[in-house]
Amino acid sequence: MPFPSLLCCLSNKSAHSHALEEIKQTPDPTSDDSRQRSQELFRTFVDSDSPDVIGPDGVEKLCKEAGIPLDGAQPLLLAWQFGCKEVGKITLDEWQRGTETLRISSLATLALSLMELDEAVVHQKPPIKRAPSTASKRGAAGTSKAQLTYNRSRYWNYCRDSEAAFSELYQFCFTLSKPPQSRNIDMETVIALWSVLLAPRYQIVNELTTFLNENRSYRGVNKDIWSMVYEFCRTVNPDLSNYEMDGAWPTMLDDFVSWKRAKVPTEGADA
């Protein structure tokens, strides 16, 4: 589901406590200039009636101008890295803390950071190669390659344990997406989130979302079920051979497994 459509599924959300843990950094002599460029960039996308907030339209515009895909996990990664409290909104405080921690002052470096996180954390690709610690090289046009770098401290930490990083992202997305006065996320939003978070890692999620779209009796998902679906994807074999129907799995997963097994042709039926 594209990000603008995902926005339509979500309402006001609550905070996540682990998204913006401070990372110690070596002082950057250009930090003042970077901070100013970052603030100027923020003002480019703010709401006309709220100068301290980038709203859904501004976030969509930001993603399009930066070349950040709207139909995948990268908008969620942006919210995770900036510690956003509401989906589709970035406050000035969130923007300042996020860009200063990552040392980002341009759309190009923002897009690069999200692409690298997407590949490492969501798609489980190998980490990028560390660049040698030498002086910046300049190309024919005189553009420093360092202009497309950022503080990768978090990136390297995530790469050391990408499963733990994904688990943090996954739980953050539940908190971000859940209405503040509710225990559940509605099923339309859940399917959209699982499609961009779990489906790239676990093929069986495509079948699960097909099942849920065909069976509209499930109205929403609470945090326990949200967590157990992730555990199901991590621990159950794709052919369901180790799934125990009398285990502690939620009824929704029992029903899905029965549905999937019923679709498998009986051995010898085509003989």
Side-chain angles (χ1 to χ4, degrees):
M1 178 179 291
F3 185 64
S5 300
L6 183 58
L7 287 176
C8 296
C9 300
L10 303 171
S11 51
N12 292 337
K13 313 300 182 288
S14 55
H16 179 68
S17 60
H18 302 294
L20 272 177
E21 294 178 354
E22 291 301 324
I23 296 175
K24 293 183 179 179
Q25 303 176 21
T26 303
D28 182 358
T30 63
S31 59
D32 290 341
D33 291 339
S34 296
R35 186 178 299 111
Q36 182 178 350
R37 291 196 299 271
S38 172
Q39 291 176 354
E40 291 172 354
L41 195 59
F42 179 85
R43 289 194 290 269
T44 303
F45 301 102
V46 294
D47 288 355
S48 58
D49 59 346
S50 184
D52 291 336
V53 175
I54 299 177
D57 291 341
V59 172
E60 183 178 349
K61 180 183 176 184
L62 183 155
C63 289
K64 288 182 177 179
E65 291 192 11
I68 297 169
L70 292 167
D71 57 353
Q74 290 188 33
L76 296 170
L77 287 163
L78 172 61
W80 179 44
Q81 289 302 290
F82 283 21
C84 296
K85 297 178 177 63
E86 296 184 47
V87 72
K89 289 186 179 181
I90 307 173
T91 67
L92 177 59
D93 182 58
E94 291 163 351
W95 178 272
Q96 288 176 332
R97 286 184 296 161
T99 55
E100 287 180 18
T101 298
L102 297 174
R103 295 182 190 164
I104 287 173
S105 59
S106 72
L107 293 181
T109 51
L110 178 61
L112 176 65
S113 68
L114 296 178
M115 180 191 70
E116 291 179 353
L117 279 178
D118 193 17
E119 291 179 348
V121 176
V122 178
H123 290 86
Q124 299 178 289
K125 293 185 178 181
I128 62 172
K129 293 182 179 180
R130 288 180 182 264
S133 55
T134 58
S136 299
K137 298 181 179 180
R138 293 186 177 272
T143 300
S144 171
K145 291 184 179 181
Q147 290 177 357
L148 287 181
T149 64
Y150 63 98
N151 178 21
R152 289 189 173 92
S153 298
R154 281 181 175 174
Y155 174 82
W156 298 123
N157 286 336
Y158 294 149
C159 289
R160 279 193 284 271
D161 192 345
S162 62
E163 196 64 45
F166 180 80
S167 179
E168 181 183 327
L169 168 65
Y170 185 74
Q171 296 302 337
F172 167 84
C173 288
F174 180 87
T175 304
L176 178 74
S177 306
K178 183 184 69 65
Q181 303 303 321
S182 175
R183 296 179 56 195
N184 301 333
I185 306 177
D186 68 273
M187 191 56 69
E188 183 181 2
T189 299
V190 167
I191 291 173
L193 291 170
W194 283 342
S195 295
V196 298
L197 292 171
L198 293 179
R201 298 166 65 93
Y202 308 105
Q203 187 175 358
I204 197 170
V205 172
N206 292 317
E207 294 179 275
L208 175 60
T209 57
T210 297
F211 165 75
L212 293 172
N213 281 319
E214 292 180 2
N215 296 268
R216 295 291 184 173
S217 57
Y218 308 100
R219 306 297 294 273
V221 163
N222 61 26
K223 189 169 185 178
D224 286 342
I225 295 177
W226 176 264
S227 299
M228 292 187 77
V229 167
Y230 176 44
E231 184 68 12
F232 169 86
C233 293
R234 288 196 323 110
T235 61
V236 174
N237 297 333
D239 63 359
L240 306 178
S241 57
N242 63 336
Y243 185 86
E244 298 180 2
M245 295 293 289
D246 57 350
W249 298 109
T251 301
M252 184 187 77
L253 287 176
D254 285 342
D255 292 346
F256 165 66
V257 170
S258 297
W259 173 85
K260 179 172 167 56
R261 285 175 173 170
K263 294 176 63 178
V264 178
T266 304
E267 184 177 355
D270 298 331

